[in-house]
Amino acid sequence: MMGRVRALSILLWLTAGHALAQEGTASPPASAEAPPQPRSGTDARMELGLQAGYAWGTDDEALVHGGPGARLHLLARLGPYLALGPEVALYAHAGSRIQIGREEVGSLQNEALFQLGGVVRAGLALGPVRPAIVGGLAWYRAENSRLGYSVGVEVELNLVDGLALVADARYHDDFEDRPNNYFRTLGLGTRLFW
């Protein structure tokens, strides 16, 4: 388990280093005399993302459960290749906890999974298509372990200036060495830039 976490961390750092190196070779800014242009995903400073999605969870008893949900993020774009900031997500029936009653009888409750954390994204600009690696840390409600990480991939398609279509897939796990108690998410949404 820790070997997978280290390998994913190294991959994320290498991609972020590549993105920062590309940032250093970006074209110089337009002259001060040029008329202002509308912001696009390439030169925006901030972005607001909203996604609808689905989460599948696997609990301590290896039972799979899931439900629909949504994710919202507000990221600072540190150039065209790197972005970071907070995100929040809520998925119906994707969380689980084992609760012990008065008579020490275990019961499993599937309930809404709430996630609050931070995310970093490092990607490439291939014309209107922008593939990226995404990673983050988060606090989860409705999981036995409260603190975890996520890693995944996404593809952004810039259809018009200032608006993009995004699809992503992520794997979420906790920091404890447990065989289960993880979940996966798929999302589809849009982003606004300014």
Side-chain angles (χ1 to χ4, degrees):
M1 174 65 185
M2 292 307 294
R4 283 190 295 169
V5 172
R6 284 190 202 122
L8 291 171
S9 299
I10 290 169
L11 180 61
L12 184 62
W13 283 111
L14 289 174
T15 304
H18 178 70
L20 287 173
Q22 283 186 343
E23 180 66 29
T25 61
S27 59
S31 67
E33 297 174 9
Q37 298 293 323
R39 293 263 188 209
S40 69
T42 303
D43 62 356
R45 300 280 186 242
M46 297 294 293
E47 78 176 51
L48 177 67
L50 177 62
Q51 283 188 315
Y54 197 90
W56 293 268
T58 304
D59 58 38
D60 288 338
E61 296 178 357
L63 298 174
V64 178
H65 42 82
R71 180 185 303 134
L72 178 70
H73 72 239
L74 179 63
L75 302 184
R77 293 178 70 111
L78 308 175
Y81 308 107
L82 191 64
L84 60 91
E87 74 174 354
V88 61
L90 181 65
Y91 297 97
H93 308 296
S96 71
R97 283 190 293 205
I98 295 179
Q99 295 188 341
I100 306 298
R102 286 186 211 157
E103 298 176 12
E104 298 297 322
V105 176
S107 66
L108 183 64
Q109 285 188 339
N110 292 340
E111 53 188 57
L113 175 65
F114 177 74
Q115 171 194 352
L116 176 64
V119 66
V120 62
R121 181 181 69 230
L124 304 171
L126 306 174
V129 179
R130 305 170 73 78
I133 293 176
V134 182
L137 298 175
W139 174 82
Y140 300 98
R141 185 186 178 283
E143 285 290 324
N144 284 333
S145 300
R146 303 286 184 167
L147 187 61
Y149 66 92
S150 66
V151 292
V153 294
E154 72 171 32
V155 176
E156 175 185 309
L157 177 61
N158 291 296
L159 303 172
V160 296
D161 282 346
L163 185 66
L165 180 65
V166 180
D168 78 353
R170 295 194 205 178
Y171 172 82
H172 307 256
D173 205 346
D174 57 32
F175 288 111
E176 296 182 23
D177 193 15
R178 297 158 83 159
N180 297 311
N181 207 22
Y182 61 88
F183 63 99
R184 298 154 313 277
T185 58
L186 293 176
L188 181 65
T190 188
R191 290 183 181 145
L192 300 174
F193 306 107
W194 70 91

